[in-house]
Amino acid sequence: MELDEGFNIEPTVFEDVLPTMTIALEEIFGPVLVLVKVKTIKFSVLGAVTDCS
């Protein structure tokens, strides 16, 4: 499928994001990936469970 017409947005990656930053807390429009460093797998799982409520 050709995408010659319309508005195409390049994917964007934000790295070194802190869990308290707006970009990590609020929904963002567009193809965006936010990378948050964690100390251990336990912290990543706890963060995911906390954010799903």
Side-chain angles (χ1 to χ4, degrees):
M1 179 175 149
E2 293 290 327
L3 299 174
D4 294 335
E5 297 180 24
F7 296 101
N8 299 308
I9 302 171
E10 294 279 330
T12 304
V13 177
F14 293 91
E15 58 183 316
D16 297 326
V17 175
L18 299 175
T20 55
M21 291 178 158
T22 302
I23 195 166
L25 297 172
E26 296 184 8
E27 186 175 351
I28 302 170
F29 175 77
V32 175
L33 176 66
V34 176
L35 302 176
V36 179
K37 288 184 180 180
V38 294
K39 294 181 181 181
T40 66
I41 292 176
K42 180 180 177 181
F43 281 110
S44 66
V45 172
L46 288 173
V49 170
T50 302
D51 291 341
C52 290
S53 57

Coordinates of all heavy atoms in Angstrom, one line a residue:
M1 N 0.8 -1.2 0.0 CA 0.0 0.0 0.0 C 0.9 1.2 0.0 O 1.7 1.4 0.8 CB -0.9 0.0 1.2 CG -1.8 1.2 1.4 SD -2.9 0.9 2.8 CE -3.1 2.6 3.3
E2 N 0.7 2.1 -1.0 CA 1.4 3.3 -1.1 C 0.8 4.4 -0.2 O -0.4 4.5 -0.1 CB 1.4 3.8 -2.5 CG 2.2 2.9 -3.5 CD 3.7 3.0 -3.2 OE1 4.2 4.0 -2.8 OE2 4.3 2.0 -3.4
L3 N 1.6 5.2 0.5 CA 1.2 6.2 1.4 C 1.6 7.6 0.8 O 2.2 8.4 1.5 CB 1.7 6.0 2.8 CG 1.3 4.7 3.5 CD1 2.0 4.6 4.8 CD2 -0.2 4.7 3.7
D4 N 1.3 7.8 -0.5 CA 1.7 9.1 -1.1 C 0.9 10.3 -0.7 O 1.4 11.4 -0.8 CB 1.6 8.9 -2.6 CG 2.5 7.9 -3.2 OD1 3.6 7.6 -2.6 OD2 2.2 7.3 -4.3
E5 N -0.3 10.0 -0.2 CA -1.1 11.1 0.2 C -1.4 11.1 1.7 O -1.3 10.0 2.4 CB -2.5 11.1 -0.5 CG -2.3 11.2 -2.0 CD -3.6 11.2 -2.7 OE1 -4.7 11.4 -2.1 OE2 -3.6 10.9 -3.9
G6 N -1.7 12.2 2.3 CA -2.0 12.2 3.8 C -0.8 12.7 4.6 O 0.3 13.0 4.1
F7 N -1.0 12.6 5.9 CA 0.0 13.0 6.8 C 0.7 11.8 7.4 O 0.0 11.0 8.1 CB -0.5 13.9 7.9 CG -1.1 15.2 7.4 CD1 -2.4 15.4 7.2 CD2 -0.2 16.3 7.1 CE1 -2.9 16.6 6.7 CE2 -0.7 17.5 6.6 CZ -2.0 17.6 6.4
N8 N 1.9 11.6 7.2 CA 2.6 10.4 7.7 C 3.6 10.9 8.8 O 4.4 11.8 8.5 CB 3.4 9.7 6.6 CG 2.4 9.2 5.6 OD1 1.5 8.5 5.9 ND2 2.7 9.5 4.3
I9 N 3.6 10.3 9.9 CA 4.4 10.7 11.1 C 5.5 9.7 11.3 O 5.2 8.5 11.5 CB 3.6 10.9 12.3 CG1 2.5 12.0 12.1 CG2 4.5 11.3 13.5 CD1 1.5 12.1 13.2
E10 N 6.7 10.1 11.3 CA 7.8 9.2 11.6 C 7.7 8.7 13.0 O 7.4 9.5 13.9 CB 9.2 9.9 11.4 CG 9.5 10.3 10.0 CD 10.0 9.1 9.1 OE1 10.6 8.3 9.7 OE2 9.7 9.1 7.9
P11 N 8.0 7.4 13.3 CA 8.1 7.0 14.7 C 9.1 7.7 15.5 O 10.2 8.1 15.0 CB 8.5 5.5 14.5 CG 8.1 5.1 13.1 CD 8.3 6.4 12.3
T12 N 8.8 8.0 16.8 CA 9.7 8.7 17.6 C 10.0 7.9 18.9 O 9.1 7.3 19.5 CB 9.1 10.1 18.0 OG1 8.8 10.8 16.9 CG2 10.0 10.9 18.9
V13 N 11.3 7.9 19.3 CA 11.7 7.1 20.5 C 12.3 8.2 21.5 O 13.2 8.9 21.1 CB 12.8 6.1 20.2 CG1 13.2 5.4 21.5 CG2 12.2 5.0 19.2
F14 N 11.7 8.2 22.7 CA 12.3 9.0 23.8 C 13.0 8.1 24.7 O 12.4 7.2 25.3 CB 11.1 9.8 24.5 CG 10.4 10.8 23.7 CD1 9.3 10.5 22.9 CD2 10.9 12.1 23.6 CE1 8.7 11.4 22.1 CE2 10.3 13.0 22.8 CZ 9.2 12.7 22.1
E15 N 14.2 8.3 25.0 CA 15.0 7.5 25.9 C 15.4 8.3 27.2 O 15.3 9.5 27.2 CB 16.2 6.9 25.3 CG 17.2 7.8 24.7 CD 18.3 7.1 24.0 OE1 18.8 6.1 24.5 OE2 18.6 7.5 22.8
D16 N 15.8 7.6 28.2 CA 16.2 8.2 29.5 C 15.1 9.0 30.1 O 15.2 10.1 30.7 CB 17.4 9.2 29.3 CG 18.7 8.4 28.8 OD1 18.8 7.2 29.3 OD2 19.5 8.9 28.1
V17 N 13.9 8.5 30.0 CA 12.7 9.1 30.5 C 12.5 8.7 32.0 O 12.6 7.5 32.3 CB 11.4 8.7 29.7 CG1 10.2 9.3 30.3 CG2 11.6 9.2 28.3
L18 N 12.2 9.6 32.8 CA 11.9 9.2 34.2 C 10.5 8.9 34.4 O 9.6 9.5 33.7 CB 12.3 10.4 35.1 CG 13.8 10.8 35.1 CD1 14.0 12.0 36.0 CD2 14.7 9.7 35.6
P19 N 10.1 8.0 35.3 CA 8.7 7.6 35.5 C 7.8 8.8 35.9 O 6.6 8.7 35.7 CB 8.8 6.6 36.6 CG 10.2 6.1 36.6 CD 11.0 7.2 36.1
T20 N 8.4 9.8 36.4 CA 7.6 11.0 36.9 C 7.4 12.0 35.8 O 6.6 13.0 36.0 CB 8.3 11.7 38.1 OG1 9.6 12.0 37.7 CG2 8.3 10.7 39.3
M21 N 8.0 11.9 34.6 CA 7.9 12.8 33.5 C 6.5 12.7 32.9 O 5.9 11.7 32.7 CB 9.0 12.6 32.5 CG 10.3 12.9 33.0 SD 11.5 12.6 31.6 CE 12.9 13.6 32.1
T22 N 6.0 13.9 32.4 CA 4.7 13.9 31.7 C 4.6 12.9 30.6 O 3.6 12.3 30.4 CB 4.4 15.3 31.2 OG1 4.5 16.2 32.3 CG2 3.1 15.4 30.5
I23 N 5.7 12.8 29.8 CA 5.7 11.9 28.6 C 5.5 10.5 29.0 O 5.0 9.7 28.3 CB 7.0 12.1 27.8 CG1 6.8 11.5 26.4 CG2 8.2 11.6 28.5 CD1 7.9 11.9 25.4
A24 N 5.9 10.1 30.2 CA 5.7 8.7 30.7 C 4.3 8.5 31.4 O 3.9 7.4 31.4 CB 6.8 8.4 31.7
L25 N 3.7 9.6 31.8 CA 2.5 9.5 32.5 C 1.2 9.7 31.7 O 0.2 9.2 32.0 CB 2.5 10.5 33.7 CG 3.5 10.3 34.8 CD1 3.5 11.5 35.7 CD2 3.3 9.0 35.5
E26 N 1.3 10.5 30.6 CA 0.1 10.8 29.8 C 0.2 10.2 28.5 O 1.2 9.9 27.9 CB 0.0 12.3 29.7 CG -0.2 13.0 31.0 CD -0.4 14.5 30.9 OE1 -0.5 15.0 29.7 OE2 -0.4 15.2 31.9
E27 N -1.0 10.0 27.9 CA -1.1 9.4 26.6 C -0.6 10.4 25.5 O -0.9 11.6 25.6 CB -2.6 9.1 26.3 CG -2.8 8.3 25.0 CD -4.2 7.9 24.8 OE1 -5.0 8.0 25.7 OE2 -4.5 7.4 23.7
I28 N 0.1 9.8 24.6 CA 0.7 10.7 23.5 C 0.2 10.2 22.2 O 0.1 9.0 21.9 CB 2.3 10.5 23.5 CG1 2.9 10.9 24.9 CG2 2.9 11.3 22.4 CD1 4.3 10.5 25.0
F29 N -0.2 11.2 21.3 CA -0.7 10.8 20.0 C 0.5 10.5 19.1 O 1.4 11.3 19.0 CB -1.5 12.0 19.4 CG -2.0 11.7 18.0 CD1 -3.0 10.8 17.8 CD2 -1.3 12.3 17.0 CE1 -3.4 10.5 16.5 CE2 -1.7 12.0 15.7 CZ -2.8 11.2 15.4
G30 N 0.4 9.5 18.3 CA 1.4 9.2 17.3 C 2.2 7.9 17.6 O 2.0 7.4 18.7
P31 N 3.0 7.6 16.7 CA 3.9 6.4 16.9 C 5.0 6.7 17.8 O 6.1 7.2 17.3 CB 4.3 6.0 15.5 CG 4.3 7.3 14.7 CD 3.1 8.1 15.3
V32 N 4.8 6.6 19.1 CA 5.8 7.0 20.1 C 6.2 5.8 21.0 O 5.3 5.1 21.4 CB 5.3 8.2 20.9 CG1 6.3 8.5 22.0 CG2 5.1 9.4 20.0
L33 N 7.4 5.7 21.3 CA 7.9 4.7 22.3 C 8.7 5.4 23.4 O 9.6 6.2 23.1 CB 8.8 3.6 21.6 CG 9.4 2.6 22.5 CD1 8.4 1.7 23.1 CD2 10.5 1.8 21.8
V34 N 8.3 5.2 24.6 CA 9.0 5.8 25.7 C 9.9 4.7 26.5 O 9.3 3.7 26.9 CB 8.0 6.5 26.7 CG1 8.7 7.0 27.9 CG2 7.2 7.5 26.0
L35 N 11.1 5.0 26.6 CA 12.0 4.0 27.3 C 12.4 4.6 28.7 O 12.9 5.7 28.8 CB 13.3 3.9 26.5 CG 13.2 3.3 25.1 CD1 14.5 3.3 24.4 CD2 12.5 2.0 25.1
V36 N 12.1 3.8 29.7 CA 12.3 4.1 31.1 C 13.3 3.1 31.7 O 13.0 1.9 31.6 CB 11.0 4.2 31.9 CG1 11.3 4.5 33.4 CG2 10.0 5.1 31.3
K37 N 14.4 3.6 32.2 CA 15.4 2.7 32.8 C 14.9 2.2 34.1 O 14.3 3.0 34.9 CB 16.8 3.3 32.9 CG 17.5 3.5 31.7 CD 18.9 4.1 31.9 CE 19.6 4.4 30.7 NZ 21.0 4.9 30.9
V38 N 15.1 0.9 34.5 CA 14.7 0.4 35.8 C 15.9 -0.3 36.3 O 16.8 -0.8 35.6 CB 13.5 -0.5 35.7 CG1 12.3 0.2 35.3 CG2 13.8 -1.7 34.8
K39 N 16.0 -0.4 37.7 CA 17.1 -1.1 38.3 C 17.1 -2.6 38.2 O 18.1 -3.2 38.0 CB 17.2 -0.7 39.8 CG 17.5 0.8 40.0 CD 17.6 1.2 41.4 CE 17.9 2.6 41.6 NZ 18.0 3.0 43.0
T40 N 15.9 -3.2 38.3 CA 15.8 -4.6 38.3 C 14.5 -5.0 37.5 O 13.6 -4.1 37.3 CB 15.7 -5.2 39.7 OG1 14.5 -4.8 40.3 CG2 16.9 -4.8 40.5
I41 N 14.3 -6.2 37.2 CA 13.1 -6.7 36.6 C 11.9 -6.5 37.5 O 10.8 -6.2 37.1 CB 13.2 -8.2 36.2 CG1 14.2 -8.3 35.1 CG2 11.9 -8.8 35.8 CD1 14.5 -9.8 34.6
K42 N 12.1 -6.7 38.8 CA 11.1 -6.4 39.8 C 10.5 -5.0 39.6 O 9.3 -4.8 39.7 CB 11.6 -6.7 41.2 CG 10.6 -6.5 42.3 CD 11.1 -6.7 43.7 CE 10.1 -6.5 44.7 NZ 10.6 -6.7 46.1
F43 N 11.3 -4.0 39.5 CA 10.9 -2.7 39.4 C 10.1 -2.5 38.1 O 9.1 -1.7 38.0 CB 12.0 -1.7 39.4 CG 12.5 -1.4 40.8 CD1 13.8 -1.8 41.2 CD2 11.8 -0.6 41.7 CE1 14.2 -1.5 42.5 CE2 12.2 -0.4 42.9 CZ 13.4 -0.8 43.4
S44 N 10.5 -3.1 37.0 CA 9.8 -3.0 35.7 C 8.4 -3.6 35.8 O 7.4 -3.1 35.3 CB 10.6 -3.6 34.6 OG 10.7 -5.0 34.7
V45 N 8.3 -4.8 36.5 CA 7.0 -5.4 36.7 C 6.1 -4.6 37.6 O 4.9 -4.4 37.3 CB 7.1 -6.9 37.2 CG1 5.8 -7.5 37.6 CG2 7.9 -7.7 36.2
L46 N 6.6 -4.1 38.7 CA 5.9 -3.2 39.6 C 5.4 -2.0 38.9 O 4.2 -1.6 39.0 CB 6.7 -2.9 40.8 CG 7.0 -4.0 41.8 CD1 7.9 -3.5 42.9 CD2 5.7 -4.4 42.4
G47 N 6.2 -1.4 38.0 CA 5.8 -0.2 37.3 C 4.7 -0.5 36.3 O 3.7 0.2 36.2
A48 N 4.8 -1.6 35.6 CA 3.7 -2.0 34.7 C 2.4 -2.3 35.3 O 1.4 -1.9 34.9 CB 4.2 -3.2 33.9
V49 N 2.4 -3.0 36.5 CA 1.2 -3.3 37.2 C 0.6 -2.0 37.8 O -0.6 -1.8 37.7 CB 1.5 -4.3 38.3 CG1 0.3 -4.4 39.2 CG2 1.9 -5.6 37.7
T50 N 1.4 -1.1 38.3 CA 0.9 0.2 38.8 C 0.3 1.0 37.7 O -0.7 1.6 38.0 CB 2.1 0.9 39.5 OG1 2.7 0.1 40.5 CG2 1.6 2.2 40.1
D51 N 0.9 1.0 36.5 CA 0.4 1.9 35.5 C -0.9 1.3 34.8 O -1.5 2.0 34.1 CB 1.5 2.1 34.4 CG 2.6 2.9 34.9 OD1 2.4 3.6 35.9 OD2 3.7 2.9 34.3
C52 N -1.2 0.1 35.0 CA -2.4 -0.5 34.4 C -3.7 -0.3 35.1 O -4.7 -0.7 34.6 CB -2.2 -2.0 34.2 SG -0.9 -2.4 33.0
S53 N -3.6 0.4 36.2 CA -4.9 0.6 37.0 C -5.7 1.7 36.4 O -5.3 2.5 35.6 CB -4.6 0.9 38.4 OG -3.7 2.0 38.5

